[in-house]
Amino acid sequence: MDIPIQIADYIAALNESDWKTSSVKICTHDLSSFFKWVEKNKPNSSGEYWLNLERKDYLEYFIYLKGKNLSQANLKRIAAHLNGMLRFYELDEKVGSLSIRKQDKIIDSKDLITDQDAKTLLASITSKKGLSETQLEMHPYLCYRNLSIISLMLHYGLTLDEVHSINIQDINFAQNTLEIVKDTGKRTIELSSEDKKVLYKYFTDIPALSRPKEYTNEPFFLAFSPRKLVYWYDNDRNRPKRISKVTISRLIENEVERSGIKHAARAIHFRNSCILKKMKLGWSNEQLLSYFGLKSRQALYRFKNYLKEQ
């Protein structure tokens, strides 16, 4: 097998080590395949210029490999061989260690919510069917809060954490926009006029004394006391009390159960379905990553594989 000139010294060192001949042959094959890809896809990195490759170039190579449906074991082996090469040429600090994440579970219909079930769920939230006397008392206070939360997850793919962390200053009712702020950055989502109205009704229905002050970092979704029928106020912090993540999770479970749909849908099902819808509309990888705040294309593979199988 021809050895790429770029790694001749490395392969020679492996041959002089205690590596088995068969192992050196496999390593040579893996690295040769990598440099063939570099030659084709990174034309400015031929010869010694490959030493200037950055981490993103190596990650791009693994995206290419995953597109060929290589097994997890093969991907891990290739990553180990590339890591060895990087250490030999003292590039490991520059590029960093290459690792293969455990493959995401393949998406199937159980990981999604149908349009009809979503429609039934949303209609049920504002209805009074199946409510006890106590729940009927709370319903006027909570129906539009709950509808707002689930609508944001269903229509825009927001995670439970993202919904939980929304502050009143993140919503611009005049421009119909919602800003999602995270440690890694922020992104702006355009709300439909219908969803803006739902959020605005929930907000304006909150009694003035408990309502979060506009243009502040006070929480938008508030905790509620079913016994006192009032929104909680945090006296120590002198601001309304934010709804807990546990409460959001429970209200989703309760609303799904009350709606009568057979699917035990949760926040992740809403997000999965939203991502898949945008993908069906032909959104590019870059649009999907930006809109949903995803870190890499790897997060999209299971959705693409699902569509291929349909």
Side-chain angles (χ1 to χ4, degrees):
M1 177 183 295
D2 292 335
I3 300 174
I5 189 65
Q6 297 95 325
I7 56 168
D9 292 341
Y10 177 53
I11 300 302
L14 291 181
N15 281 318
E16 293 175 3
S17 69
D18 58 357
W19 273 44
K20 294 180 180 180
T21 301
S22 58
S23 297
V24 175
K25 186 175 181 179
I26 293 172
C27 181
T28 302
H29 174 271
D30 288 343
L31 297 181
S32 296
S33 297
F34 170 69
F35 281 103
K36 286 180 181 177
W37 178 86
V38 169
E39 184 178 350
K40 180 179 179 180
N41 296 276
K42 307 288 178 180
N44 296 325
S45 299
S46 58
E48 293 186 358
Y49 289 103
W50 78 272
L51 298 171
N52 296 322
L53 288 173
E54 299 178 0
R55 181 175 179 81
K56 63 180 179 63
D57 299 310
Y58 288 90
L59 296 181
E60 186 179 337
Y61 179 59
F62 279 100
I63 290 174
Y64 160 75
L65 293 177
K66 288 184 177 182
K68 297 178 68 176
N69 294 320
L70 268 65
S71 69
Q72 192 81 349
N74 284 337
L75 291 171
K76 286 184 176 180
R77 186 197 71 236
I78 294 170
H81 289 160
L82 286 170
N83 282 329
M85 177 192 73
L86 292 171
R87 286 193 296 272
F88 181 83
Y89 290 102
E90 298 181 347
L91 297 170
D92 48 325
E93 287 191 9
K94 172 186 174 184
V95 175
S97 177
L98 302 171
S99 60
I100 302 300
R101 296 188 315 166
K102 184 178 179 180
Q103 285 185 327
D104 292 323
K105 183 174 72 71
I106 297 174
I107 284 282
D108 61 33
S109 59
K110 294 180 181 179
D111 300 306
L112 306 165
I113 181 171
T114 66
D115 288 343
Q116 182 56 53
D117 279 351
K119 183 178 180 180
T120 299
L121 172 59
L122 293 175
S124 171
I125 295 172
T126 53
S127 75
K128 298 180 180 179
K129 71 170 185 177
L131 294 176
S132 65
E133 289 187 12
T134 300
Q135 291 171 328
L136 283 170
E137 287 185 301
M138 295 188 293
H139 189 257
Y141 299 93
L142 301 183
C143 68
Y144 279 94
R145 184 198 67 177
N146 296 357
L147 181 61
S148 296
I149 288 172
I150 294 179
S151 293
L152 289 176
M153 294 178 172
L154 273 171
H155 298 158
Y156 309 97
L158 268 60
T159 66
L160 191 151
D161 282 346
E162 289 171 344
V163 169
H164 171 261
S165 63
I166 293 174
N167 295 326
I168 182 59
Q169 66 185 9
D170 301 327
I171 303 177
N172 188 321
F173 287 115
Q175 297 183 9
N176 291 12
T177 59
L178 169 63
E179 200 168 65
I180 305 300
V181 182
K182 304 177 76 171
D183 293 339
T184 53
K186 59 184 178 181
R187 65 189 196 274
T188 301
I189 291 174
E190 185 174 345
L191 301 170
S192 70
S193 58
E194 187 62 34
D195 287 333
K196 190 278 293 280
K197 290 177 183 177
V198 170
L199 267 67
Y200 190 70
K201 177 165 179 53
Y202 154 67
F203 174 67
T204 53
D205 281 352
I206 300 172
L209 292 176
S210 303
R211 190 182 305 156
K213 300 179 183 66
E214 293 191 70
Y215 314 113
T216 69
N217 63 351
E218 293 186 351
F220 182 69
F221 289 117
L222 308 183
F224 187 79
S225 170
R227 186 171 62 85
K228 297 180 178 180
L229 295 179
V230 295
Y231 287 99
W232 284 108
Y233 198 83
D234 189 337
N235 292 314
D236 292 336
R237 303 184 66 186
N238 192 29
R239 59 165 53 191
K241 186 173 183 178
R242 189 183 302 274
I243 189 174
S244 71
K245 295 179 185 179
V246 172
T247 299
I248 294 177
S249 182
R250 285 177 179 169
L251 77 83
I252 293 173
E253 292 180 19
N254 292 337
E255 293 294 3
V256 167
E257 183 178 357
R258 187 165 73 92
S259 71
I261 62 176
K262 295 181 179 179
H263 194 307
R266 300 294 182 264
I268 187 61
H269 301 100
F270 304 155
R271 181 171 171 84
N272 287 344
S273 299
C274 189
I275 292 174
L276 198 62
K277 281 184 180 180
K278 301 301 184 185
M279 196 172 282
K280 286 180 178 179
L281 290 174
W283 281 31
S284 68
N285 290 336
E286 289 69 25
Q287 286 176 305
L288 292 166
L289 293 175
S290 174
Y291 189 84
F292 292 103
L294 300 171
K295 294 180 180 179
S296 72
R297 296 184 186 183
Q298 294 175 354
L300 301 175
Y301 291 146
R302 56 190 187 138
F303 296 98
K304 292 187 176 183
N305 289 335
Y306 174 83
L307 290 178
K308 286 180 182 178
E309 295 174 2
Q310 297 307 298

